[in-house]
Amino acid sequence: MGVVRNEHERVVEASAEAVGALLDRLSAEDDPIFPTPAWEPMIFDRPLGVGATGGHGPIRYEVTAYEPGRRVRFAFTPPGEGFHELTVEPLAEGRCRVRHVLETRWRGVDRLLWPTAIRPAHDSMMEELFDNIERAVAGGCARPVRWSPWLRLLHRLWWNRPRIVEVPPEARLLHASMERPGYQDAYRMDMLPGLPRDPEAWTGILRDAFPVIAREGGELLMDVNTAGLTARASILVDERHVTLSTAVRADNRRARLYWSAVRLAHPFMARMMLRRAHRGLALAAPSAGERAARRGRSSVSAPSHLVSG
């Protein structure tokens, strides 16, 4: 396969200035158009501008050209080749054209992955980005992207997996809940833009099957006692991560027998449940464009002295 060129464009019923202002917020904390949290965010080592390096997920690139409000070009970093570019073109008054162009050369196994896996994901991400532009500046999106069953399967397979970490010192409720636990573990995933910061929203990790017995700040403690085990689970949410931690103590023979049977499966089950909840909340969260539109409405409706302050 030679050079691959992929193009997407859409006419938006909004001025080029309004859409260009959204383009300028790419990779910012309040990025209104990149399709998070369903996809990993665009992150750079500095604010958007020539020389900024980063990417989204495993795709790495560098900003090589930037015309504020009009155009930004990203060059793929080695071993990648080529570029991708977003542009905003004014049309008639109150209308503009947004265009994305990708040009690259795939090698090796990527020549097979492009038509079967990479292109379906890329095409959806670009159309979702355009959807977010319309939501943010044109009052809504009439025909939002719908994922195919194949893309849903790919998305499920590609979703990040929890990392093993030490039980964080910030999990104070868990530490205080049990003396001399016989077992502890913790698993962590990154917080994506748009994911809920309220730990109550994350109790579905354990299918809401256990009672919440304490909450302090961003930590929620659940009683997961079973079969004679003394067990607690902590869900800790901060600006960067969500962490699921467990402490277990077997106080009698029955509990020790039960724990010896389930201990090997516990790490797998804990990671699976955290990953499932993480992805489920990401897919259910408002899109970046919806969040931007809500922020805009809040600013308009807020008292003038609060907006100016």
Side-chain angles (χ1 to χ4, degrees), residues 9 14 68 156 270:
E9 67 175 45
R156 182 177 293 110

Side-chain angles (χ1 to χ4, degrees), residues 2-294:
V3 173
V4 170
R5 187 175 175 90
N6 177 278
E7 300 183 19
H8 292 260
E9 67 175 45
R10 188 179 300 184
V11 173
V12 178
E13 300 299 323
S15 69
E17 290 72 22
V19 174
L22 299 179
L23 184 71
D24 292 339
R25 288 159 59 191
L26 267 174
S27 79
E29 288 187 7
D30 65 344
D31 183 337
I33 61 174
F34 204 81
T36 59
W39 302 97
E40 290 191 73
M42 180 183 286
I43 299 175
F44 290 111
D45 61 351
R46 68 195 77 172
L48 187 68
V50 174
T53 59
H56 61 276
I59 312 301
R60 303 285 91 190
Y61 39 83
E62 176 183 359
V63 179
T64 55
Y66 178 44
E67 301 171 27
R70 289 290 181 266
R71 169 177 174 259
V72 58
R73 173 176 284 213
F74 312 93
F76 295 113
T77 53
E81 296 182 49
F83 68 91
H84 68 110
E85 179 177 81
L86 270 164
T87 56
V88 179
E89 174 192 355
L91 299 176
E93 184 177 354
R95 302 180 78 213
C96 67
R97 178 182 289 110
V98 187
R99 191 162 182 256
H100 181 271
V101 176
L102 177 148
E103 192 170 292
T104 188
R105 184 187 302 274
W106 296 117
R107 301 181 184 277
V109 69
D110 287 340
R111 297 169 64 183
L112 298 176
L113 290 177
W114 167 250
T116 58
I118 300 174
R119 185 173 63 195
H122 168 78
D123 287 349
S124 182
M125 288 178 67
M126 289 305 101
E127 293 301 320
E128 289 174 58
L129 185 148
F130 292 165
D131 287 352
N132 283 332
I133 290 174
E134 289 195 303
R135 292 185 180 109
V137 298
C141 178
R143 291 182 295 277
V145 173
R146 293 286 183 264
W147 288 4
S148 68
W150 175 240
L151 182 56
R152 287 191 172 276
L153 175 61
L154 290 174
H155 189 270
R156 182 177 293 110
L157 294 173
W158 285 339
W159 197 255
N160 284 336
R161 285 162 172 75
R163 306 184 298 278
I164 301 172
V165 296
E166 297 292 328
V167 176
E170 294 81 8
R172 297 181 182 89
L173 293 176
L174 182 68
H175 289 297
S177 70
M178 189 181 304
E179 294 183 3
R180 298 185 299 277
Y183 176 90
Q184 289 182 298
D185 64 7
Y187 305 98
R188 172 173 288 170
M189 296 192 73
D190 292 340
M191 289 298 291
L192 303 174
L195 282 178
R197 265 55 180 176
D198 184 350
E200 293 280 355
W202 293 86
T203 56
I205 292 174
L206 301 179
R207 295 187 180 274
D208 295 307
F210 300 97
V212 174
I213 56 176
R215 174 172 177 174
E216 182 180 285
E219 184 188 10
L220 182 147
L221 187 69
M222 304 178 76
D223 181 345
V224 293
N225 289 356
T226 184
L229 286 175
T230 300
R232 301 287 185 268
S234 161
I235 299 172
L236 178 67
V237 179
D238 59 33
E239 288 302 310
R240 297 182 59 196
H241 307 110
V242 54
T243 306
L244 173 65
S245 306
T246 309
V248 178
R249 191 179 67 219
D251 294 322
N252 55 50
R253 184 171 180 272
R254 177 182 175 225
R256 287 191 290 273
L257 286 173
Y258 176 79
W259 181 239
S260 67
V262 303
R263 179 171 178 169
L264 292 179
H266 167 77
F268 169 79
M269 294 300 296
R271 282 178 284 189
M272 180 188 72
M273 291 187 293
L274 176 58
R275 181 174 182 260
R276 181 189 60 214
H278 190 269
R279 180 173 179 269
L281 288 170
L283 294 180
S287 69
E290 290 168 333
R291 300 195 304 272
R294 290 177 184 177

